[in-house]
Amino acid sequence: MSLYSRLLVLLLVLTVVRAAPCEITLTQLNTIINGTTCPLTSQSVDECRTAAQALPFVNKGFSDYNITTIGEKAALLSLMAFESGGFQFNINDGNPGQGTRNLMEFPFVYQYAISKPFLTNQTRAIVPNVNSKRSPRSCPPDSLSFASAMWFYTQSGAQGQGCLEMPGMVQGLQQQSESGWENYITNCVGTTVTQERKQIYLQTLSILNGN
Ligand SMILES: *[C@@H]1O[C@H](CO)[C@@H](O)[C@H](O)[C@H]1NC(C)=O
Ligand SMILES: *[C@@H]1O[C@H](CO)[C@@H](O)[C@H](O)[C@H]1NC(C)=O
Ligand SMILES: *[C@@H]1O[C@H](CO)[C@@H](O)[C@H](O)[C@H]1NC(C)=O
């Protein structure tokens, strides 16, 4: 091969490697959740997960729901890190029906549970959260809990399209623009942009970009 073709091949290989969906590493996840060591509080004993415990579920969630870009991963992962206090919490005792790692609210947790009919026992584990008086400490299992933000973004709602068809949603997140993230927080998640949320998002984005 001539030097020129070798360079071309090298360039091609580099392009493919760059474009390949890469998994989040333990170091990255640990930094994003500020090195959570479990349990952080006596309240979170059953619910708390370290980065090492969470990592396989987080990566499987992204892979199962075909979320491959850094921009989308950063938005979803920072939401999970923020809502769960760095993976300390899985349910909100103060708000029956709210749970999983992005602390989705009723009826989304319920919708999520029944969208997985093959997981009958896991379904049962989540649904009692709707009535916390009956079963105050039932936690959604990790396999569901760490993929709920991915489900919500891609499959929730009456049409089962999540937020994917919302104007500018996918492009904005993929382009890693702050306005794209604000669109996600406001119109997809349905909450308010705050300085703390933004800071965690920007930090997560920077970490996933390898900075
Ligand atoms: C992910 O993509 C694959 C291949 O295109 C497809 O078969 C699968 O149904 C997709 N999964 C989801 C959850 O969209
Ligand atoms: C990590 O720590 C920083 C600095 O104290 C804080 O702003 C951020 O909210 C924390 N992140 C999480 C996920 O708790
Ligand atoms: C569901 O849970 C019950 C009771 O814990 C158990 O006996 C049963 O085998 C489980 N079913 C499945 C499909 O895992």
Side-chain angles (χ1 to χ4, degrees):
M1 261 197 289
S2 71
L3 180 62
Y4 180 67
S5 358
R6 277 173 209 228
L7 277 177
L8 265 186
V9 168
L10 182 67
L11 200 68
L12 194 70
V13 167
L14 283 178
T15 310
V16 169
V17 167
R18 268 185 68 88
C22 21
E23 299 218 313
I24 291 162
T25 67
L26 179 57
T27 309
Q28 288 175 326
L29 190 59
N30 199 41
T31 312
I32 289 165
I33 64 171
N34 287 339
T36 295
T37 51
C38 293
L40 276 181
T41 66
S42 58
Q43 193 218 328
S44 67
V45 175
D46 304 335
E47 302 172 48
C48 189
R49 295 292 181 273
T50 63
Q53 291 171 321
L55 185 68
F57 297 106
V58 169
N59 277 322
K60 186 168 190 313
F62 283 129
S63 147
D64 283 352
Y65 290 92
N66 293 336
I67 297 165
T68 56
T69 69
I70 286 178
E72 288 168 294
K73 286 183 179 182
L76 274 57
L77 191 51
S78 60
L79 177 73
M80 293 158 66
F82 174 82
E83 294 289 349
S84 65
F87 296 162
Q88 279 181 84
F89 303 110
N90 200 17
I91 53 177
N92 182 353
D93 286 326
N95 185 11
Q98 191 182 13
T100 73
R101 294 295 159 180
N102 60 345
L103 288 188
M104 288 193 297
E105 301 213 25
F106 190 81
F108 292 113
V109 173
Y110 181 71
Q111 242 186 41
Y112 178 46
I114 61 174
S115 79
K116 306 271 176 258
F118 50 96
L119 299 167
T120 50
N121 280 355
Q122 279 92 336
T123 301
R124 265 183 236 116
I126 290 183
V127 172
N129 267 317
V130 170
N131 182 353
S132 76
K133 288 184 205 78
R134 223 166 10 111
S135 181
R137 306 289 311 166
S138 72
C139 293
D142 289 344
S143 57
L144 286 186
S145 180
F146 282 102
S148 61
M150 297 73 158
W151 169 83
F152 186 83
Y153 175 60
T154 57
Q155 296 190 353
S156 63
Q159 313 299 322
Q161 296 172 330
C163 309
L164 298 181
E165 300 299 322
M166 292 179 177
M169 186 61 63
V170 172
Q171 300 89 313
L173 287 183
Q174 289 188 351
Q175 286 162 6
Q176 308 184 5
S177 71
E178 224 166 278
S179 61
W181 172 77
E182 286 174 4
N183 187 26
Y184 169 72
I185 290 296
T186 311
N187 295 314
C188 177
V189 180
T191 186
T192 316
V193 168
T194 65
Q195 209 42 49
E196 199 188 352
R197 281 183 187 275
K198 183 178 291 188
Q199 197 202 329
I200 296 180
Y201 162 69
L202 291 175
Q203 191 206 2
T204 303
L205 192 57
S206 160
I207 290 167
L208 294 189
N209 276 318
N211 302 318

